[in-house]
Amino acid sequence: MDKNQFQLSVDELPTKWYNIIPDLPEPLPPPKEPETGPSRMEYLAKTMTGECLKQEMSTEKWIPIPEEIRELYIQAGRPRPLYRAKRLEKKLGLKKVRLYYKREDLSPTGSHKVNTALVQAYYAAKEGKDTLVTETGAGQWGSALSYAAKLMDLNCVVFWVKSVYDWKVDRRTLMKLLGAKVYSSPSKETKTGREILAKNPTDPGSLGIAVSEGLEYTDTHEGSVYCLGSVLNHVLLHQSIIGLETIKQFEIAEDKPDLIVGCLGGGSNFGGIALPFAGEVLNKKRECEFLASQSEVAPNLTKGEYRYDFGDVGEHTPLLKMYTLGHKTEMMPIKADGLRYHAAAPLISSLRHHNIVKAVTYPKDEKTIFQAATMFLQSEGYLIAPESSYAVRAGIDEALKAERAGDEKVICMNISGHGFLDLFAYKEKMLEA
Amino acid sequence: MDKNQFQLSVDELPTKWYNIIPDLPEPLPPPKEPETGPSRMEYLAKTMTGECLKQEMSTEKWIPIPEEIRELYIQAGRPRPLYRAKRLEKKLGLKKVRLYYKREDLSPTGSHKVNTALVQAYYAAKEGKDTLVTETGAGQWGSALSYAAKLMDLNCVVFWVKSVYDWKVDRRTLMKLLGAKVYSSPSKETKTGREILAKNPTDPGSLGIAVSEGLEYTDTHEGSVYCLGSVLNHVLLHQSIIGLETIKQFEIAEDKPDLIVGCLGGGSNFGGIALPFAGEVLNKKRECEFLASQSEVAPNLTKGEYRYDFGDVGEHTPLLKMYTLGHKTEMMPIKADGLRYHAAAPLISSLRHHNIVKAVTYPKDEKTIFQAATMFLQSEGYLIAPESSYAVRAGIDEALKAERAGDEKVICMNISGHGFLDLFAYKEKMLEA
């Protein structure tokens, strides 16, 4: 029988996360204090859990996944299958190119974000904290953290950019059902929010304001920690579970990827699938290329500069060395809202700097993106998130390029999330255009 | 490590469907022609595929699943895991009762309906048909058939009751993205529809009208077949894949269910999980009870009579011996719309008649239903369909009853679908009530 699904048993779930830091071509440039203002490092240290902070700095290559976290991963449906996209290959007329995809869309809240949310919730509970605080833009991170908090019996407070909060009713419902307190930001819960509302009661908010509110809330509420969903080293460490599973699954499939493709905003799903493979490349155990698929509205890897910059608009983080468009850059809203971030994670940026990671951007009208997603739905049968559709678009384009050149090539795409809560976007782009 | 997830490898996917007919306590009462009007048997035979018709009558106990259909099942993500609901058990304070659930919610379109949709599409293609036609009420069946048609490169035509079509925008988008032609019924596509619209251009439609339109369309378009999503024997046969997997998974879990619980409208998901276990009970190989969870608005198993009745309002089907409320009964809309059907499948009705299947009903306000679903979400982490929530509600109630009585008991609930497209219902019932 022709098997397109490669699954690991729960016993084969990886027992360690992979940390690429010791394998990088040169030491990762450390975070730096900005020249003015209070110490951002101390501030960050104060708002995060101790274990995540330790992992952020760790130079250990393999970090054991605590038994309880492995149980949480299994509860959340891990390991997740790898599929050979034979039906899509057929539709594209591929003879020499093989396509695969990893199914993070099977996540309980709809994206890979749960892979780090569960870990952060676990450590917070272990360290005696009772509340997880965060900001959210598109809403995937807020949902994932609400879920993780509930599973660990913690409170969750989400500051959600008002302009998105107002219309993403279903995602808001999901977070609230999961017991989170979800505030439209700017809110009345913080001094920052109240000041902004006093000036303009209908201020639409921004990610910068939401982060500021979240951090202020954490500062002023004992027992709370601030949780981050992307960019930082420990987040990518937790996401390495994706790539580690995928390596084992390719062994079962008796195949080897020549190219790994993922969408990239800050870099958490891309890093998750790519870093374990990249580590083997750096150790000369494997040959493989890596392609990040981005939006023209946030082309940090293609148009950004590799320099120190803040991770957030509000300048609360230390300076991080990243490919950045500048932390004050305004980016036009797109349907794949999770990709709108001004900079790429330091780990990805370092790999980009050494030409190990390459990048491609797609136009802001997202027309070809939704066409690729619809082709994927109609061939493979799965409705994927707008963000993940960038990975599929780039995967298809690379496949066709290789096929035309007569190259045998194996491409693996990461499907970071499902699209059941994005059908409005499909409707607008595919049925009304 | 504490494993709550029991999964089969793709190699362990069952190779045969189970047909309970030869194992029933007495022969299944055959379908009958009504006293007036044309032959419904001939009509049914003309609109269905030959293979499904053959299976409908089959007295073979095991029917091989063609290799290509097994590949389609694997493409659609089968086998699906069985979970031990340890977190829910803890929340309920259970010490002697163990709860399990089968995850049909992992289906590509969100419900177990794909298990028969793929089979019907496969046989239609094999028999040279080019178009699948159906009606849909809640929309799960229409989505599943659209999906199956697309995977088999067939056309799909869905007549969707206008009153639902108008507001379930996301589900409509999904069907259209899958390439289906979706008509608001009554439509201008059929004589039946045109006549109704001439009298009342804003007629809200009904399932009866939608069925009539679908059958007329099939009659007048060569190469089309009509597909049914529940009630008939061949549909429950295809769904037996659920229970057959679950039997193997309980072996892996080294446990045995004492009670199988499913929600029941027409009976396809309930039959799917229950019949393979019921067959072993009838063959004295196992002891197990079966409980169907219903809505007070459609209590066919508790308040219905066991007699011959039509399967549809329009009287197009032969008479089937079923527990029925009467095929003209009007049922108030509920959120779990997939449970609103006037009769239970002949196979389930026969088992009910012999006291092998029991039933319970829940109030039409659905308050306790959504409370159970929210408790499930907050403990197990999965957002389930309103229909499936009836199974969870009954599972919880039976668990608490057994626990109070001090009985050791193992209960397995079937989660027939996910709730990502039902968040509006959760919002109304849980956040606004």
Side-chain angles (χ1 to χ4, degrees):
Chain A
M1 192 172 53
D2 216 10
K3 283 180 290 179
N4 301 341
Q5 193 196 132
F6 305 97
Q7 179 57 303
L8 302 174
S9 74
V10 290
D11 300 307
E12 292 168 300
L13 183 75
T15 56
K16 291 168 183 147
W17 289 299
Y18 169 67
N19 178 14
I20 200 170
I21 290 180
D23 286 329
L24 288 176
E26 61 177 358
L28 189 69
K32 269 195 344 193
E33 294 286 5
E35 282 170 18
T36 58
S39 166
R40 310 301 205 280
M41 310 276 250
E42 280 172 30
Y43 189 68
L44 195 69
K46 214 177 62 179
T47 52
M48 280 169 62
T49 63
E51 191 61 32
C52 288
L53 193 70
K54 205 175 113 195
Q55 291 178 348
E56 186 65 20
M57 320 286 197
S58 174
T59 53
E60 291 294 314
K61 195 189 282 206
W62 295 101
I63 297 183
I65 306 176
E67 201 70 351
E68 297 91 328
I69 293 179
R70 293 182 72 223
E71 282 174 20
L72 287 167
Y73 276 169
I74 292 170
Q75 177 67 32
R78 302 211 73 88
R80 306 207 188 287
L82 175 74
Y83 274 63
R84 168 89 182 272
K86 282 215 183 136
R87 304 178 66 93
L88 178 57
E89 288 171 15
K90 198 175 159 198
K91 194 151 197 160
L92 294 167
L94 303 178
K95 305 269 183 240
K96 309 203 80 174
V97 179
R98 299 192 287 287
L99 286 169
Y100 289 83
Y101 55 99
K102 175 74 170 171
R103 295 204 51 205
E104 291 300 311
D105 60 299
L106 289 170
S107 142
T109 62
S111 86
H112 70 291
K113 295 285 185 193
V114 294
N115 298 333
T116 183
L118 285 169
V119 185
Q120 297 190 44
Y122 171 79
Y123 288 133
K126 213 177 158 193
E127 294 173 20
K129 308 292 185 179
D130 58 26
T131 303
L132 308 182
V133 185
T134 200
E135 92 295 339
T136 198
Q140 285 282 14
W141 174 238
S143 319
L145 200 69
S146 305
Y147 162 84
K150 182 48 77 182
L151 258 64
M152 289 307 302
D153 272 325
L154 301 172
N155 305 312
C156 187
V157 175
V158 179
F159 289 92
W160 195 358
V161 181
K162 182 180 179 352
S163 57
V164 189
Y165 172 97
D166 280 349
W167 70 270
K168 278 205 179 172
V169 182
D170 283 343
R171 240 187 218 290
R172 197 166 79 208
T173 300
L174 179 57
M175 291 185 218
K176 289 189 175 178
L177 286 171
L178 284 163
K181 282 210 192 299
V182 188
Y183 297 115
S184 166
S185 167
S187 77
K188 288 181 181 164
E189 299 302 308
T190 66
K191 193 162 158 282
T192 308
R194 286 189 296 270
E195 281 173 9
I196 294 167
L197 288 175
K199 278 183 215 154
N200 177 10
T202 59
D203 191 292
S206 70
L207 214 48
I209 296 170
V211 172
S212 298
E213 286 207 277
L215 287 168
E216 183 189 325
Y217 188 98
T218 310
D219 264 355
T220 52
H221 290 75
E222 212 175 344
S224 24
V225 278
Y226 198 79
C227 299
L228 289 147
S230 191
V231 180
L232 296 190
N233 303 342
H234 70 278
V235 174
L236 274 64
L237 173 77
H238 305 155
Q239 293 293 357
S240 71
I241 190 81
I242 303 173
L244 293 167
E245 283 181 10
T246 309
I247 285 176
K248 291 191 185 192
Q249 287 163 325
F250 267 106
E251 282 166 18
I252 294 172
E254 297 179 355
D255 211 348
K256 270 186 195 169
D258 300 301
L259 177 69
I260 304 278
V261 187
C263 62
L264 191 142
S268 82
N269 98 82
F270 182 84
I273 192 155
L275 296 185
F277 285 95
E280 294 192 357
V281 170
L282 291 166
N283 282 299
K284 313 252 182 257
K285 285 189 191 160
R286 158 191 309 272
E287 287 183 22
C288 186
E289 297 188 301
F290 305 93
L291 182 67
S293 184
Q294 306 206 281
S295 165
E296 210 178 60
V297 312
N300 50 48
L301 287 178
T302 58
K303 303 241 171 96
E305 284 176 62
Y306 190 41
R307 63 172 170 88
Y308 275 97
D309 193 11
F310 289 104
D312 69 313
V313 186
E315 306 185 352
H316 300 89
T317 67
L319 294 168
L320 303 168
K321 192 155 182 196
M322 306 184 283
Y323 277 87
T324 178
L325 301 164
H327 68 286
K328 297 278 189 196
T329 302
E330 288 196 12
M331 293 161 283
M332 194 189 98
I334 50 173
K335 297 301 175 194
D337 218 42
L339 301 185
R340 284 201 308 141
Y341 187 68
H342 69 278
L347 288 174
I348 307 295
S349 291
S350 167
L351 292 173
R352 167 76 176 134
H353 185 60
H354 289 90
N355 213 23
I356 291 160
V357 165
K358 294 187 176 61
V360 62
T361 60
Y362 287 97
K364 52 191 155 212
D365 69 12
E366 299 183 291
K367 216 168 137 178
T368 62
I369 298 299
F370 278 88
Q371 282 165 352
T374 303
M375 183 185 268
F376 189 85
L377 172 67
Q378 295 195 348
S379 53
E380 294 297 318
Y382 294 107
L383 182 75
I384 63 178
E387 288 81 359
S388 320
S389 309
Y390 281 74
V392 169
R393 175 76 268 166
I396 290 175
D397 290 348
E398 289 296 313
L400 293 173
K401 211 190 293 176
E403 188 73 22
R404 276 194 299 269
D407 296 342
E408 197 175 317
K409 195 163 188 173
V410 177
I411 300 174
C412 177
M413 308 173 286
N414 195 34
I415 307 299
S416 56
H418 71 56
F420 286 113
L421 299 183
D422 300 284
L423 277 161
F424 63 92
Y426 275 94
K427 178 165 178 275
E428 191 182 316
K429 295 288 178 181
M430 294 303 298
L431 304 180
E432 289 165 0
Chain B
M1 191 173 52
D2 216 10
K3 282 179 293 180
N4 301 341
Q5 193 196 131
F6 305 96
Q7 179 56 304
L8 301 174
S9 73
V10 290
D11 300 308
E12 292 168 301
L13 182 76
T15 56
K16 290 169 184 149
W17 289 299
Y18 169 66
N19 178 14
I20 200 170
I21 290 179
D23 286 328
L24 288 175
E26 62 177 357
L28 189 70
K32 269 194 344 193
E33 294 286 4
E35 281 169 21
T36 57
S39 165
R40 309 302 205 279
M41 309 277 249
E42 281 171 31
Y43 189 68
L44 195 67
K46 214 178 58 179
T47 53
M48 281 169 61
T49 64
E51 192 61 34
C52 288
L53 194 71
K54 206 176 112 193
Q55 291 178 348
E56 186 66 22
M57 321 286 199
S58 174
T59 53
E60 291 296 313
K61 195 189 282 206
W62 296 101
I63 297 184
I65 307 176
E67 202 69 352
E68 297 90 330
I69 293 178
R70 293 182 73 225
E71 283 174 19
L72 287 167
Y73 277 169
I74 291 170
Q75 177 66 32
R78 301 212 76 87
R80 306 207 188 286
L82 175 74
Y83 275 62
R84 168 89 182 271
K86 283 216 182 133
R87 305 179 64 95
L88 179 58
E89 288 172 15
K90 199 176 159 197
K91 192 150 200 160
L92 294 168
L94 303 179
K95 305 267 183 246
K96 308 203 80 173
V97 178
R98 297 191 289 286
L99 286 170
Y100 289 83
Y101 55 99
K102 175 74 170 171
R103 293 203 52 203
E104 291 300 312
D105 60 301
L106 289 170
S107 142
T109 61
S111 86
H112 71 290
K113 295 284 185 191
V114 293
N115 298 335
T116 183
L118 285 170
V119 185
Q120 297 189 44
Y122 171 79
Y123 288 132
K126 212 177 158 193
E127 294 173 22
K129 307 294 185 180
D130 58 27
T131 303
L132 308 182
V133 185
T134 200
E135 92 295 338
T136 198
Q140 285 281 15
W141 173 236
S143 318
L145 200 68
S146 304
Y147 162 84
K150 182 48 78 181
L151 259 64
M152 289 307 301
D153 272 325
L154 300 172
N155 305 311
C156 186
V157 175
V158 179
F159 290 92
W160 196 357
V161 181
K162 182 181 183 339
S163 56
V164 190
Y165 172 97
D166 281 348
W167 70 271
K168 279 205 179 172
V169 182
D170 283 344
R171 235 180 224 292
R172 198 168 77 208
T173 298
L174 179 57
M175 291 184 218
K176 288 188 176 180
L177 285 171
L178 284 163
K181 282 212 194 295
V182 189
Y183 297 115
S184 166
S185 167
S187 77
K188 289 182 180 163
E189 297 303 307
T190 67
K191 194 163 159 278
T192 308
R194 285 188 297 270
E195 281 174 9
I196 294 166
L197 288 174
K199 279 183 213 152
N200 177 9
T202 60
D203 191 293
S206 70
L207 215 47
I209 295 170
V211 173
S212 298
E213 285 205 278
L215 287 168
E216 185 189 324
Y217 188 99
T218 310
D219 263 356
T220 52
H221 290 75
E222 210 174 343
S224 31
V225 278
Y226 198 79
C227 299
L228 290 147
S230 191
V231 180
L232 296 192
N233 303 342
H234 69 279
V235 174
L236 274 64
L237 173 77
H238 305 155
Q239 294 293 355
S240 72
I241 190 81
I242 303 173
L244 293 167
E245 283 181 9
T246 309
I247 285 175
K248 290 190 186 193
Q249 287 163 324
F250 266 106
E251 282 166 19
I252 295 172
E254 297 179 356
D255 211 347
K256 269 185 195 170
D258 300 302
L259 177 68
I260 303 277
V261 186
C263 62
L264 191 142
S268 81
N269 97 82
F270 182 83
I273 193 156
L275 296 186
F277 286 94
E280 295 191 359
V281 171
L282 291 166
N283 282 299
K284 315 251 183 258
K285 286 187 190 159
R286 157 189 312 271
E287 285 183 23
C288 185
E289 297 188 301
F290 305 93
L291 181 67
S293 184
Q294 305 206 280
S295 165
E296 210 177 62
V297 310
N300 51 48
L301 287 178
T302 57
K303 303 241 173 95
E305 286 176 61
Y306 191 42
R307 62 170 170 88
Y308 275 97
D309 193 10
F310 289 103
D312 70 313
V313 186
E315 305 185 352
H316 299 90
T317 68
L319 295 168
L320 303 168
K321 192 155 182 194
M322 307 183 284
Y323 277 87
T324 178
L325 302 164
H327 68 286
K328 297 277 189 196
T329 302
E330 288 195 13
M331 294 162 283
M332 193 189 97
I334 50 172
K335 297 300 176 196
D337 217 44
L339 302 185
R340 284 200 308 141
Y341 186 69
H342 68 279
L347 288 174
I348 308 294
S349 292
S350 167
L351 292 173
R352 167 77 177 135
H353 184 62
H354 289 91
N355 212 24
I356 292 161
V357 165
K358 294 187 176 59
V360 63
T361 60
Y362 287 98
K364 52 189 154 213
D365 68 13
E366 297 183 293
K367 215 168 139 178
T368 62
I369 297 300
F370 278 88
Q371 282 165 352
T374 303
M375 181 184 268
F376 189 85
L377 171 67
Q378 295 195 347
S379 52
E380 294 297 319
Y382 293 107
L383 182 74
I384 64 177
E387 289 81 358
S388 320
S389 309
Y390 281 75
V392 170
R393 175 77 269 166
I396 290 175
D397 290 348
E398 290 296 313
L400 293 173
K401 210 191 293 175
E403 188 74 22
R404 277 193 299 269
D407 295 342
E408 197 175 319
K409 195 162 188 173
V410 177
I411 300 174
C412 178
M413 308 173 286
N414 194 34
I415 307 298
S416 56
H418 72 56
F420 286 112
L421 299 182
D422 299 284
L423 277 161
F424 63 92
Y426 275 93
K427 179 165 178 274
E428 191 182 315
K429 295 288 176 180
M430 293 304 296
L431 304 180
E432 290 164 1

